[in-house]
Amino acid sequence: MYKVSIEPHWRIAYGKKPSIDTAILLRLLDSIQTEGAILQAAKGLGLSYRHAWGLLREAESIFGTPLLEKHRGRGTTLTRFATTLLWAERRIAARLSPTLETLSSELETELAKSVLGTNRTMRLCASHGFAISTLMEHINRQELPIKLRYQNSMEALAALAQGDCEIAGFHLPVDVYEDSMLQLYLQFLSREEHCLIHLANLKQGLLIAKGNPKRILSFRDLTRNDIRFVNRQIGSGTRQTLETLLAKNKIDSANINGFEMTEFTHAAVAAYIASNMADVGFGVETAAHRFGLDFVPLVEERYFFAIARKTQESHTMQEMLSIMRSAEFIREINQLGGYDATETGRIHSVRDVFRLVDI
């Protein structure tokens, strides 16, 4: 199987000075931030101390500002400008990763079709998330013919109904169902033709700057004039859950500053807040841990894969189920923070999952 990797690459210039390739520079700055010393950072990247210093001096000359601060007895730290560069890189990666991974998957499929003349790939449509990424790492290591395209829950279920994928990921909040939301999902699912595979339970809530400096404790605080919010995109399962919870709390989203500012992944929302571009967002607990944020849990959700019953018997699906039920995978999901793999790999009927709706 072909494996394609597409990564973001950016250059930066100041005024009329020549642009600088940030790839090695950003890796060096990230390593200095971790190690607290240039020598150890350079060694870790396979660079000579002289080369590392030369790269830093060239960058400082182009930017016209220092990148490092030396402290006697406390090593080397990054300046505010250097830290801004690193956070820009993290936001770019978090924002673009779903698009680039989807493009990579599409290219892999096209290359295989060109060489083999056929396509035996099983298509998975799902929203970008930490449990999904963990599963795909296992799938790719075992070289299963499963290709991922990132789509929100509604888009994924629509693709399944239209025959554009074999596996569709979607998530449902626990105990905050609304008939209108369930009916939207059920228009794409059949209790006779489909079954649901449980991936994980996860916690969603408020992602808040470390230390919660603005004392954000509930949805009510989102309407304060001094609070900047960052949202998920329209159509995402997270956005639907948020809007359901706001309605239950009788909060008008028009009163939330930044409600229309959107990102396409939990990681991108967390990176936005960690960069001090917003004070709070709504997302999974894992994203808060990854970006050093505080977290206020508000709702639990269940994430499922919808498949046709006949797909369950395929060799590829049985291999995927074996991965999901393995002790290694379950341990990794539980270690993500905010995820619960107690029911991972269990198969449910549509009727059982949508028990509050007469179907």
Side-chain angles (χ1 to χ4, degrees):
M1 292 177 61
Y2 293 101
K3 187 59 187 173
V4 176
S5 178
I6 305 174
E7 299 177 354
H9 191 109
W10 53 291
R11 303 179 68 90
I12 187 169
Y14 181 76
K16 295 182 179 180
K17 294 181 179 179
S19 63
I20 184 171
D21 189 327
T22 63
I24 299 178
L25 174 65
L26 290 169
R27 290 172 57 201
L28 178 59
L29 291 175
D30 186 56
S31 187
I32 291 172
Q33 188 178 60
T34 302
E35 299 290 343
I38 300 172
L39 180 59
Q40 285 84 349
K43 284 184 177 179
L45 296 176
L47 303 175
S48 69
Y49 181 74
R50 182 178 179 180
H51 184 181
W53 253 122
L55 182 62
L56 291 166
R57 286 171 177 164
E58 178 189 6
E60 289 179 336
S61 174
I62 291 174
F63 297 142
T65 187
L67 296 175
L68 304 178
E69 293 178 347
K70 287 197 170 185
H71 309 275
R72 181 170 294 182
R74 293 191 291 124
T76 302
T77 61
L78 303 186
T79 63
R80 182 177 179 179
F81 179 81
T83 302
T84 299
L85 288 177
L86 279 186
W87 277 116
E89 170 72 3
R90 291 165 187 167
R91 288 201 310 276
I92 289 170
R95 183 177 293 175
L96 295 182
S97 56
T99 300
L100 296 182
E101 289 176 31
T102 296
L103 289 172
S104 297
S105 180
E106 291 173 355
L107 183 53
E108 290 165 359
T109 300
E110 289 303 312
L111 290 173
K113 287 170 61 177
S114 297
V115 173
L116 301 176
T118 184
N119 180 21
R120 298 178 290 106
T121 300
M122 187 170 287
R123 299 161 296 178
L124 164 61
C125 292
S127 57
H128 190 274
F130 298 98
I132 296 291
S133 295
T134 302
L135 177 60
M136 288 308 301
E137 289 174 6
H138 283 263
I139 286 173
N140 291 332
R141 280 203 297 270
Q142 295 196 21
E143 297 186 346
L144 296 185
I146 298 176
K147 297 302 179 184
L148 171 63
R149 181 167 73 244
Y150 285 117
Q151 292 183 317
N152 65 46
S153 294
M154 289 295 297
E155 292 171 337
L157 289 173
L160 177 69
Q162 295 165 5
D164 292 332
C165 72
E166 288 71 41
I167 311 169
F170 69 100
H171 47 110
L172 284 173
V174 176
D175 297 329
V176 292
Y177 291 144
E178 288 218 343
D179 288 348
S180 59
M181 180 178 176
L182 294 180
Q183 291 300 330
L184 284 174
Y185 285 165
L186 287 170
Q187 66 180 311
F188 302 116
L189 293 171
S190 163
R191 64 181 177 181
E192 292 82 16
E193 296 180 12
H194 296 112
C195 60
L196 307 178
I197 303 169
H198 194 283
L199 175 61
N201 280 27
L202 58 146
K203 293 178 182 178
Q204 294 228 61
L206 300 179
L207 282 63
I208 304 168
K210 188 67 175 178
N212 196 2
K214 294 193 175 181
R215 306 303 300 159
I216 301 168
L217 302 176
S218 70
F219 281 126
R220 293 292 170 190
D221 293 312
L222 302 184
T223 60
R224 284 164 36 192
N225 292 333
D226 64 325
I227 300 301
R228 300 168 299 167
F229 186 76
V230 57
N231 208 348
R232 288 292 303 279
Q233 80 278 18
I234 293 174
S236 68
T238 296
R239 175 72 170 256
Q240 291 173 332
T241 298
L242 171 63
E243 292 179 349
T244 297
L245 290 170
L246 290 176
K248 284 182 175 294
N249 284 274
K250 295 181 171 56
I251 296 174
D252 187 350
S253 61
N255 296 326
I256 299 176
N257 178 29
F259 194 80
E260 301 308 319
M261 176 63 69
T262 62
E263 291 288 351
F264 283 81
T265 68
H266 294 290
V269 168
Y272 203 86
I273 298 164
S275 301
N276 195 32
M277 298 176 70
D279 303 303
V280 58
F282 185 77
V284 298
E285 184 177 0
T286 314
H289 292 315
R290 295 283 177 90
F291 287 86
L293 304 175
D294 284 357
F295 181 75
V296 178
L298 293 173
V299 64
E300 185 176 359
E301 291 192 329
R302 296 182 293 170
Y303 198 97
F304 295 98
F305 292 131
I307 63 171
R309 291 185 180 276
K310 60 182 180 181
T311 302
Q312 182 182 340
E313 305 305 320
S314 70
H315 175 74
T316 298
M317 178 54 63
Q318 289 300 310
E319 289 292 316
M320 179 174 138
L321 285 170
S322 294
I323 290 173
M324 294 175 66
R325 293 165 178 168
S326 68
E328 180 184 4
F329 181 74
I330 290 172
R331 182 176 64 255
E332 290 182 14
I333 294 300
N334 284 327
Q335 290 175 346
L336 286 174
Y339 281 83
D340 179 1
T342 302
E343 295 187 67
T344 297
R346 293 185 185 179
I347 299 176
H348 302 270
S349 69
V350 173
R351 177 181 288 278
D352 286 343
V353 171
F354 292 88
R355 60 189 180 280
L356 298 180
V357 177
D358 182 11
I359 59 172

